[in-house]
Amino acid sequence: MENMNWSDLSFGYMKTDYNVRCYYRDGQWGELEICSSDIVNIHMAATCLHYGQESFEGLKVFKGKDGKARVFRMDENAKRMQSSSRGIRMPELPVEKFEEAVRTVVKLNKRFIPPYESGASLYVRPLMLGLGAQVGVKPATEYLFMIFVTPVGPYFKGGFKPSDVCIMREYDRAAPCGTGTIKVGGNYAASLVAGERAHSQGYAAVLYLDPREKKYLDECGPANFFAIRGNSYITPQSNSILPSITNKSLMQLAESMGMTVERRPVPVEELATFDEAAECGTAAVIAPIGRIDDLDENKSYVFSADGKPGPVCEKLYTRLRAIQYGDEPDTFGWVTVLD
Ligand code: PLP
Ligand code: COI
């Protein structure tokens, strides 16, 4: 690892030493297994391959100035994975088992945790797959839960710098009463066409509207949306968005900074009234939005004309990162120091 240029990492896959796996068979979860191959050998008729019985998570581990590794809110990811399981009829993995798997896989790959100075982190990717040979549409009887890790840099090119997003009404990532609130692969497959179209036109992401009425803001492909107006932190409430752990944390931070938090349906037109806008998520952290182009209505909403993040986004970003890297006391109890 001596020759690694940690500061140049992007958000991509790099092979690490080990992953951990745990099978569900005969109605119960087995023991954690350690594996050095990054290949999964599964039956061609597995439910994950045909019927999308698959869920995943994403969390990060940060190395502090003190050399200690800290994982951010892993219990929240464990609980959200249980919610994904309930949503597509998979067995729930106990929170303790999820946490044990995170601790084990991080410890085994500790040489891949980027150093403090790099501003990079170790991305932890849990996933769950429906296994077994089956052709009828019904839940599998066997499952594989696994976690791999990979060192990552910023999700959006340029890191903490405003990028532009667009609104396109002809695509949805999730249905009104569908799977938008859980983290299943199908939602991301559904976002690929719109995402590629947006990228080809120079946008970092699509800002989706609510799929029922197309009147309210939902979220971006891989991140929640929030905006700042005066002393308010405003973020959409919707039945078709993922409950982001980053957003939940930022709401608490905003409140602790004396701001008012408004979590409610946000009409598209309200974009015209915001001082700042941003995407937030584990991969994205806070990704400030420079401009939102509504491609159907031929309207633009500009939040940063000078290429700089707004002051409130900047403050929230700095505080969140300080807690994650252990520079600031963890007064909210969000961080677990790993040994
Ligand atoms: N929304 C979607 C669709 C996502 O994929 C993610 C990423 O996990 C988020 C929001 C942000 O969630 P979190 O902050 O828990 O990473
Ligand atoms: C995350 O933020 O962890 C995500 O899963 C977003 C994306 C890479 C799907």
Side-chain angles (χ1 to χ4, degrees):
M1 308 305 295
E2 298 75 38
N3 302 324
M4 266 295 289
N5 201 343
W6 298 103
S7 309
D8 283 350
L9 282 172
S10 61
F11 193 86
Y13 179 78
M14 178 193 296
K15 187 174 179 352
T16 54
D17 291 335
Y18 300 100
N19 55 83
V20 294
R21 307 179 182 201
C22 180
Y23 288 89
Y24 179 90
R25 291 184 182 120
D26 302 320
Q28 58 186 4
W29 289 103
E31 291 302 311
L32 214 57
E33 299 170 20
I34 295 165
C35 192
S36 57
S37 165
D38 51 2
I39 301 298
V40 182
N41 206 347
I42 60 174
H43 197 282
M44 62 185 178
T47 61
C48 64
L49 297 178
H50 298 256
Y51 305 128
Q53 222 190 1
E54 184 273 348
S55 78
F56 68 101
E57 271 302 326
L59 59 159
K60 278 178 174 170
V61 170
F62 305 86
K63 188 174 276 184
K65 263 186 206 143
D66 54 9
K68 288 182 182 158
R70 292 169 171 81
V71 62
F72 189 68
R73 306 194 80 169
M74 66 173 158
D75 55 321
E76 291 288 337
N77 292 90
K79 287 186 272 178
R80 191 169 64 190
M81 190 163 225
Q82 292 183 328
S83 156
S84 295
S85 281
R86 291 192 295 276
I88 56 168
R89 303 289 286 152
M90 303 199 289
E92 288 177 46
L93 183 81
V95 172
E96 306 75 55
K97 194 115 200 164
F98 182 101
E99 295 191 351
E100 181 199 347
V102 172
R103 287 177 198 277
T104 306
V105 73
V106 172
K107 195 171 184 170
L108 290 168
N109 294 292
K110 63 173 189 281
R111 68 188 188 103
F112 293 94
I113 309 174
Y116 172 80
E117 299 74 29
S118 65
S121 57
L122 188 73
Y123 187 67
V124 178
R125 172 53 65 86
L127 62 153
M128 195 183 289
L129 308 173
L131 302 182
Q134 199 161 286
V135 184
V137 180
K138 56 181 191 295
T141 53
E142 295 189 0
Y143 294 85
L144 167 61
F145 165 76
M146 61 184 297
I147 308 185
F148 68 78
V149 297
T150 191
V152 294
Y155 189 73
F156 292 113
K157 278 197 277 300
F160 188 61
K161 212 182 77 197
S163 52
D164 300 337
V165 306
C166 65
I167 294 174
M168 291 190 280
R169 284 169 189 71
E170 63 194 278
Y171 304 99
D172 293 315
R173 63 175 284 283
C177 298
T179 53
T181 56
I182 57 175
K183 205 163 166 61
V184 297
N187 295 344
Y188 300 82
S191 76
L192 293 176
V193 172
E196 290 234 311
R197 233 182 103 176
H199 292 151
S200 72
Q201 295 182 47
Y203 299 103
V206 178
L207 174 54
Y208 289 93
L209 301 186
D210 82 277
R212 194 187 296 277
E213 297 186 88
K214 309 266 170 170
K215 272 168 71 173
Y216 302 98
L217 302 177
D218 245 1
E219 65 174 334
C220 296
N224 271 185
F225 173 87
F226 73 85
I228 304 296
R229 182 172 58 217
N231 198 38
S232 294
Y233 179 103
I234 302 162
T235 194
Q237 174 126 50
S238 160
N239 292 329
S240 43
I241 66 177
L242 193 75
S244 155
I245 297 156
T246 312
N247 198 2
K248 183 174 173 176
S249 310
L250 292 174
M251 286 188 253
Q252 279 178 264
L253 273 180
E255 239 159 35
S256 80
M257 284 156 48
M259 297 182 71
T260 305
V261 172
E262 299 177 29
R263 188 160 166 261
R264 56 169 171 83
V266 182
V268 194
E269 308 77 65
E270 208 176 325
L271 284 173
T273 69
F274 296 143
D275 304 323
E276 299 178 37
E279 296 176 62
C280 66
T282 298
V285 194
I286 291 179
I289 298 176
R291 193 181 75 234
I292 301 175
D293 287 344
D294 185 332
L295 299 179
D296 307 303
E297 307 270 312
N298 230 338
K299 268 191 206 156
S300 288
Y301 304 92
V302 177
F303 303 101
S304 168
D306 59 359
K308 292 202 188 99
V312 180
C313 281
E314 176 110 47
K315 207 185 290 176
L316 287 167
Y317 178 84
T318 305
R319 283 210 61 197
L320 178 66
R321 301 275 285 177
I323 294 172
Q324 291 175 328
Y325 282 94
D327 291 337
E328 221 184 81
D330 173 30
T331 50
F332 299 97
W334 288 339
V335 163
T336 308
V337 174
L338 302 172
D339 54 33

